[in-house]
Structures are given as C-alpha cells and as structure tokens.
Amino acid sequence: MIALASDHAGFDLKNEIGRYLEELKLPFKDLGPATNGRTDYAKWGYLAAKAVSSGEYDKGIIICGTGVGISLSANKVKGIRCVVCTDCYTAMLSRQHNNTNMLALGARVLGVDLAKLLVKIWLETEFEGGGRHEQRVNMIMKIEAGNIDFL
Ligand code: RB5
C-alpha cells in the first residue's frame, strides 16, 4: 500500500500520480491535501513519513515544488529513507542500493510523463540486499539511532 501526499505546489501532480497508480492497479491512499490551497510541505512530508514508518504503508510518494522541502521533512522521521528524484538512474539505484522507502518529486521541475516514469521505475525496482548495500543502509540507520560504532 502506497501513501501519497503533497503540498499546494505538488497538488496537481499528486492527482496525476494517483490516476496513474489506479491505471497500474496499485493500491494507494491519497493522504492529502484535498484542495490546492496554500499549505506547508513540512506537514505533509511528516504525515506521509509517519504513515510509512508505522508500517501502515509500504512506501510513500510525496510531492512539493522541488521535492526538496517535503523530502527533508520526511527524512526527519525515524526509519525513513526518502530520495528526491529527477532521473531514471537515481530512481533505480535508490531502490537497488539504498532501499529508499519514500520518493519525493518536484512538480515545478518535472514533466508529468517523466514523473510517472520515475514512479514506475522506483516502485518496480527491488533492493538488492545482502552484502555491502545492506551494510551501508544499516550504517545509515545506526547514525539515526545515534550509534556510530562502525567508524
Ligand atoms: C512552495 O512554494 C515551495 O517552497 C515548496 O513546494 C517546495 O518546493 C519546497 O521545497
């Protein structure tokens, strides 16, 4: 189950991505906002990230003007690894190597078709796991927990 959220700048693209997830027959919930009135990316990044970190949702897709503010907010929540993505290679590698669980998009940066492609690649790519990639992701999670014994 995918959590979807945006601020006002990402509102139209959020709706496009919602329609695209329906087309792909992938279950998702639009957490909001319900209208395109001015709102704060920090609120929506946090709400979507909490929904993912709690285990209620497997992944999250969040959208603001650049993808930056909303991703920074999401990445403050424990257990979240959110990538801001504008290219297909990063969409793929952020899953294969970094096991990202949230994708942030910039509605003022991306065309709709590229945004949809990034979503598809990101959702379809699996974490390679095992070996060095898993160890490095574990290091990130240790930093979050205040444990830097790997230094
Ligand atoms: C809103 O104007 C804009 O600052 C926001 O959507 C985002 O781009 C911030 O990172």
Side-chain angles (χ1 to χ4, degrees), residues 17-93:
I17 296 300
R19 282 191 285 274
Y20 184 54
L21 294 174
E22 274 169 10
E23 259 174 51
L24 295 175
K25 300 196 184 336
L26 293 173
F28 73 98
K29 182 160 183 204
D30 183 341
L31 301 183
T35 68
N36 66 356
R38 185 176 298 178
T39 185
D40 302 310
Y41 58 76
K43 167 181 166 180
W44 298 102
Y46 174 77
L47 288 175
K50 283 300 266 191
V52 173
S53 73
S54 72
E56 194 182 348
Y57 294 84
D58 308 305
K59 287 184 179 144
I61 300 173
I62 50 178
I63 307 168
C64 68
T66 58
V68 174
I70 205 160
S71 70
L72 292 175
S73 314
N75 274 319
K76 295 296 178 191
V77 174
K78 200 164 185 217
I80 295 303
R81 293 176 302 279
C82 180
V83 60
V84 189
C85 197
T86 58
D87 69 277
C88 298
Y89 185 74
T90 303
M92 186 173 75
L93 269 286

